[in-house]
Amino acid sequence: MKTFIKSSLSWLLLMCVFYPVMAENVPVVFEFPIREDIDPRSSRKVSLALEEATKNKADYVIINMNTYGGAVNDADKIRQLILDYPQPVYVFINKNAASAGALISIACDSIYMESGSNIGAATVVMGGSGEAAPDKYQSYMRSMMRSTAETNGRNPQIAEAMVDQDLVVEGISEEGEVITFTVAEALEHGFCEAEVTGIPEIMERNGISNYELVEYSPSSVENIISIFLNPAVSSILILIILGGIYFELQSPGIGFPIAAAITAGILYLVPYYLSGMAANWELIVIGIGFLLILLEVFVVPGFGITGISGITFMIFGLTLVMLDNDFLDFTFVAPERIMTSLISVLASVFIGGIGVFAFAHKIVDSPTFAKVGLSEKMDSDQGYSADFLGTSYIGQTGTAHTVLRPSGKVKIEDNYYDATTEGGFISKGTAVEVIEQNGSSLKVRELV
């Protein structure tokens, strides 16, 4: 009896120690959604989600899908990520898995569909027009669909016929139509394991009733990045970039305006770069534009081809980073997307230009700007002198030898002098009057 009691107590003690561990050792199911067009942002999200699944030691990954498709190259990236993932990846099609969505679904180990869902229609189409893309794109998509289906034991001919309307699959499709399966058809032909209502039923069909469900939630950094990808926010950042450069040129050495411009530039470019939208060559285009503008300001007199080229390069580059183009190939970019990006950039430039003409001199002379500017004065009544010209030119008239924007050169009689305006622009050849003299520089205004 004592032996029995001792054995029972030992068993209870072991259960108390190991049962909590055993109870916690349940499979981890990691879920994340694909419910948007397939583009660089969605491929980045899938990559981050799978990394998060690995950190959570997920035993199963489920993609909750409802998409009409998107860019082929980004769908291919997602396909590779899924095929290379070491744990089982299931897809739950919640209504639509069209085009690129069909390719991603076929890459998964198991396909489950909700009632009323569809899979297929993977013909590659042009952005915006909806017309079929050239055959080189169709051939690429056909090969991916075929090889992916073969990898996961599905009929490759059916997968290819989801792209090619000329490919006839006996008893399934006719010439002139691509395959799009309903739930019942997908079940019949091996492109769906079961019709389900949600994740619990998926796990139950796999013999798992007790599991831990972890839902993917973007990090704070990702949420912030998504905010800066908004075209309206991008427009504001472009305004700050242009304004910062302008005011730094007005008062060199202040530091605050150029710091604001650099910060805005980082906030503008980094989110697009991280999301895969901005390519390295697009950043180089922007850099060339910025250098050309600096060259125009500090080296080349007047306002000519260098300045115009710099502005053009910057506008072109800032627009391109907002578009998912393949080195100027806009085949799969919707026209409305192009217009939205171009309008965002041009509106910022236009509003910034108006602001410079209308308010720049007021801002420069304001008390707030004086707090960050070098406002210390060394007046002549305090004993300071900086008369490098040797004579007074105040009141004399001449002509603008270059465009004054607001600095440049003026011609008085037969001599040329550095000059600035009161804040506005003065065209080359315009008659001007000297209103102030400081060292070797003159301040002028347009003669009326």
Side-chain angles (χ1 to χ4, degrees), residues 10-26 210:
S10 298
W11 175 252
L12 287 172
L13 180 61
L14 288 171
M15 288 296 293
C16 289
V17 172
F18 291 107
Y19 180 77
V21 177
M22 296 169 60
E24 290 176 4
N25 189 25
V26 297
N210 185 25

Side-chain angles (χ1 to χ4, degrees), residues 193-212:
E193 271 61 47
E195 178 181 333
V196 298
T197 58
I199 292 176
E201 192 171 345
I202 293 175
M203 301 316 299
E204 184 179 340
R205 286 180 172 274
N206 285 273
I208 300 171
S209 57
N210 185 25
Y211 57 90
E212 178 188 355

Side-chain angles (χ1 to χ4, degrees), residues 131-164:
E131 298 178 0
D135 188 62
K136 65 176 183 179
Y137 299 108
Q138 309 298 348
S139 176
Y140 180 52
M141 187 67 167
R142 288 197 300 268
S143 66
M144 284 196 296
M145 292 287 283
R146 187 171 59 249
S147 63
T148 306
E150 288 175 348
T151 299
N152 286 329
R154 299 186 178 99
N155 189 321
Q157 189 179 26
I158 292 177
E160 189 175 356
M162 289 181 176
V163 181
D164 190 352

